[in-house]
Amino acid sequence: MNQNIIRLHRLAGKKSRLIVGLMSGTSLDGLDIALCRISGQGMNTHVVLRRFQTIPYKPAFRKKVLEIFARRTIDFQTLCELNAS
């Protein structure tokens, strides 16, 4: 079996886990970062938000993301350059 799947299964089975979630919504105002303590499983899952922060995007970066956002085709080089920004 894939070792990453095995590790993920072990982590999911722990009594409590600290998880970092990252999200950039469609508003493109910034990167949202949440640190959560998750305990339990299934219907008995309990989540506590430990810390939350939004790091705003600089206008130039936001403009570059908007140039490729929700397009059927994009320039691969532009996408790669955004990854390094």
Side-chain angles (χ1 to χ4, degrees):
M1 184 179 276
N2 184 308
Q3 291 300 315
N4 291 325
I5 299 296
I6 292 169
R7 287 181 59 219
L8 185 60
H9 184 263
R10 275 193 219 125
L11 286 172
K14 288 189 172 193
K15 215 173 182 184
S16 178
R17 297 146 327 266
L18 268 177
I19 304 292
V20 174
L22 305 172
M23 185 191 87
S24 177
T26 56
S27 66
L28 296 175
D29 57 343
L31 178 65
D32 298 323
I33 306 167
L35 175 64
C36 300
R37 166 76 58 192
I38 301 176
S39 57
Q41 296 177 354
M43 297 297 285
N44 296 317
T45 301
H46 184 70
V47 178
V48 175
L49 179 62
R50 302 285 301 265
R51 185 155 180 187
F52 179 85
Q53 183 173 356
T54 297
I55 300 175
Y57 292 141
K58 293 178 182 174
F61 179 77
R62 185 175 188 273
K63 183 179 180 228
K64 287 180 183 178
V65 172
L66 282 170
E67 289 173 4
I68 65 166
F69 184 72
R71 306 265 191 245
R72 283 186 160 233
T73 60
I74 60 170
D75 180 65
F76 188 67
Q77 182 174 341
T78 303
L79 178 62
C80 291
E81 288 170 356
L82 279 174
N83 187 47
S85 297

